[in-house]
Amino acid sequence: AKDAKVEPATRVGKQLLRGSKCGLCLQQVLDSASGVVCSRKRPDGSNGGCGKGVCFPCMLRASSMMFGKVRITKEIWVTLSDKAWWMHERCMAENDHSDFEDLIQSFGLKAKLDEASAELPQGWTRKISHTTGKVFFVNAKLGQAQWDLPTRDVEASPDAGDKSQEDHDHGVANGNQKVEDMDVTGGNEQAGDQEELVEL
């Protein structure tokens, strides 16, 4: 397999270039802010990572067993700016693990990263806002989307499908929105949400 095209090494890490393919869904990224490459230029000048790229939506939905637990979102990448980097957990040396954690904590992004890596209750999926790059959560069964990490399963929710219109309308004020009201166009969705992911 051919390595992903990457931007010139002007920063610590690398993003996928427009037109590069994600190593998981095999779809081309639409712009150079849609994915990252497993790569890091270490402080000692050595390079780490396997050079394989992944789009942000796949990074969020791939299982931790297949993909590892180390994740990064577009929002976090943008916040880290020229200090941003990411590597597969299996590609990291011990210093890489601690350096990544220190970097995330130094920017006050630990809670956001934990949210992006957390297991979701049954019925919920992650999406990325195409306009802001922020992660939000969608439950198709409830027809609901929200910015806050969901805390319970659809089946565990009493009267999950029996929300009154008034409750549904008030949900927007509480951070919940109907799916059609959210910006759900983010990511590589031309292949559908159910595409089979290959191991990266």
Side-chain angles (χ1 to χ4, degrees):
K2 189 177 177 184
D3 282 349
K5 295 183 250 174
V6 295
E7 66 184 354
T10 56
R11 51 173 70 214
V12 178
K14 297 177 181 178
Q15 288 182 273
L16 286 174
L17 287 178
R18 180 177 186 217
S20 298
K21 287 188 178 182
C22 170
L24 289 177
C25 67
L26 305 177
Q27 297 295 309
Q28 288 186 341
V29 294
L30 303 175
D31 59 48
S32 293
S34 295
V36 294
V37 174
C38 176
S39 177
R40 177 189 185 202
K41 182 137 183 105
R42 296 182 178 110
D44 66 5
S46 66
N47 292 310
C50 64
K52 294 182 180 174
V54 63
C55 67
F56 288 119
C58 283
M59 183 172 296
L60 293 177
R61 73 175 161 243
S63 73
S64 57
M65 185 183 303
M66 178 179 92
F67 190 75
K69 294 180 182 174
V70 179
R71 312 288 171 114
I72 194 164
T73 66
K74 181 177 181 178
E75 179 184 12
I76 293 172
W77 184 274
V78 169
T79 301
L80 295 175
S81 186
D82 63 344
K83 292 179 175 30
W85 64 275
W86 169 83
M87 291 168 60
H88 292 103
E89 187 173 21
R90 69 177 179 264
C91 295
M92 289 183 166
E94 188 175 324
N95 287 345
D96 294 323
H97 277 280
S98 59
D99 289 351
F100 189 76
E101 288 178 16
D102 292 347
L103 176 66
I104 295 300
Q105 286 187 354
S106 71
F107 278 78
L109 297 169
K110 177 119 174 68
K112 285 195 181 294
L113 190 62
D114 289 347
E115 188 175 276
S117 303
E119 291 293 321
L120 294 179
Q122 187 174 355
W124 290 92
T125 58
R126 288 179 179 86
K127 298 280 185 179
I128 299 176
S129 168
H130 192 50
T131 54
T132 66
K134 293 183 180 181
V135 175
F136 64 96
F137 305 92
V138 176
N139 187 308
K141 188 171 184 177
L142 294 176
Q144 188 173 47
Q146 64 189 46
W147 295 107
D148 297 325
L149 184 67
T151 56
R152 60 183 184 190
D153 295 348
V154 173
E155 289 73 21
S157 303
D159 304 323
D162 299 331
K163 290 186 131 199
S164 71
Q165 183 61 41
E166 183 180 346
D167 288 344
H168 190 66
D169 292 342
H170 288 293
V172 174
N174 294 327
N176 299 330
Q177 296 182 2
K178 293 184 292 184
V179 173
E180 57 268 20
D181 293 341
M182 296 292 284
D183 175 16
V184 295
T185 59
N188 295 338
E189 296 185 356
Q190 62 265 34
D193 287 337
Q194 301 301 322
E195 74 256 6
E196 189 172 326
L197 301 179
V198 296
E199 186 163 349
L200 181 64

